[in-house]
């Protein structure tokens, strides 16, 4: 292995204003950094496969599905949610910041409310109990998959699955 798997908790994300569980993959020393820099496409492919394993295991264990909301597509302010079969999609498409929002849910998310802004959208999704996540690419520094949810049980389940895949806990954060 030419990189490390790490996971940690964020008590309250500054960005989303809710608890978060973060998994990240990246180099921890000069040799790993050199390998990632020289094999960035392989590193990204391997990372996405690992994140896809984590996501697939979580969805299977909880009977949930993955939905995506493209903030550029809606009808009169109402969101259009599209189900994405996790086994059939390259999660790299979610690496477009501020465009796609990925939602984990048992049922297709819906809302009769018109969203005036993105903050309102997030607040309503968390209020309804949905878990949201995003994937970030930091190029040669690594990448991360961060889950946001008010339900600590969901975050704890994610931690247990991440452990089975090989993620190691860093920092002092824990599920409250």
């Amino acid at each position: 292995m030419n990189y490390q798997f790490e996971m940690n908790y964020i008590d309250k994300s500054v960005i989303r204003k809710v608890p978060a569980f973060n998994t990240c993959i990246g180099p921890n020393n000069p040799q790993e950094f050199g390998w990632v820099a020289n094999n960035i496409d392989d590193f990204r492919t391997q990372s996405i496969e690992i994140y896809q394993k984590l996501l697939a295991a979580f969805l299977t264990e909880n009977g949930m599905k993955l939905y995506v909301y493209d903030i550029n597509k809606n009808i009169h302010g109402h969101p259009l949610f599209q189900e994405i079969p996790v086994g059939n999609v390259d999660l790299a498409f979610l690496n477009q910041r501020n465009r796609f929002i990925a939602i984990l849910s048992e049922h297709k998310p819906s809302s009769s409310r018109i969203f005036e802004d993105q903050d309102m959208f997030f607040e309503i999704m968390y209020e309804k109990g949905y878990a949201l996540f995003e994937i970030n690419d930091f190029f040669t520094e690594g990448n991360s998959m961060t889950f946001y949810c008010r339900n600590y049980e969901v975050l704890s389940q994610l931690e247990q699955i991440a452990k089975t895949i090989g993620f190691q806990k860093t920092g002092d954060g824990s599920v409250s």
Side-chain angles (χ1 to χ4, degrees), residues 52 55-56 59 66 84-91:
Q52 198 148 346
L55 189 57
L59 293 173
L66 168 63
I84 305 292
V86 72
N88 299 337
V89 69
D90 180 354
L91 293 176

Side-chain angles (χ1 to χ4, degrees), residues 2 27 29-36:
N2 297 300
N29 60 50
Q31 293 81 14
E32 291 173 359
F33 182 81
W35 184 89
V36 169

Side-chain angles (χ1 to χ4, degrees), residues 2-165:
N2 297 300
Y3 41 83
Q4 305 295 312
F5 299 178
E6 297 178 352
M7 62 181 171
N8 58 25
Y9 288 96
I10 304 166
D11 288 332
K12 193 168 189 181
S13 166
V14 174
I15 298 169
R16 302 283 184 240
K17 301 178 179 125
V18 296
F21 176 71
N22 185 56
T23 56
C24 52
I25 302 172
N28 272 349
N29 60 50
Q31 293 81 14
E32 291 173 359
F33 182 81
W35 184 89
V36 169
N38 291 323
N39 298 281
I40 191 72
D41 290 337
D42 290 339
F43 171 71
R44 286 179 174 150
T45 299
Q46 292 170 13
S47 298
I48 290 297
E49 289 171 357
I50 292 163
Y51 292 136
Q52 198 148 346
K53 265 187 187 175
L54 172 65
L55 189 57
F58 177 78
L59 293 173
T60 299
E61 186 174 301
N62 291 288
M64 291 185 170
K65 296 178 182 177
L66 168 63
Y67 295 92
V68 174
Y69 166 52
D70 182 339
I71 64 171
N72 297 320
K73 294 181 180 176
N74 59 55
I75 298 176
H76 308 294
H78 296 281
L80 295 176
F81 296 100
Q82 176 185 3
E83 182 180 345
I84 305 292
V86 72
N88 299 337
V89 69
D90 180 354
L91 293 176
F93 82 98
L94 292 171
N95 191 32
Q96 300 176 28
R97 293 180 191 216
N98 299 322
R99 181 164 177 215
F100 291 105
I101 299 167
I103 300 162
L104 307 175
S105 174
E106 291 179 21
H107 309 287
K108 187 172 187 174
S110 64
S111 178
S112 59
R113 296 176 65 176
I114 294 175
F115 301 112
E116 295 173 13
D117 62 29
Q118 195 170 346
D119 288 340
M120 179 191 238
F121 172 84
F122 284 114
E123 183 58 34
I124 290 169
M125 293 295 106
Y126 297 134
E127 194 176 279
K128 291 185 174 200
Y130 299 129
L132 283 64
F133 75 90
E134 63 185 350
I135 295 176
N136 290 298
D137 186 350
F138 304 114
F139 306 99
T140 57
E141 296 292 322
N143 48 54
S144 70
M145 184 177 207
T146 306
F147 296 85
Y148 303 94
C149 183
R150 285 194 177 135
N151 184 339
Y152 288 104
E153 185 177 316
V154 167
L155 301 179
S156 181
Q157 289 173 334
L158 285 162
E159 177 187 11
Q160 295 307 312
I161 293 168
K163 281 181 186 177
T164 66
I165 294 172

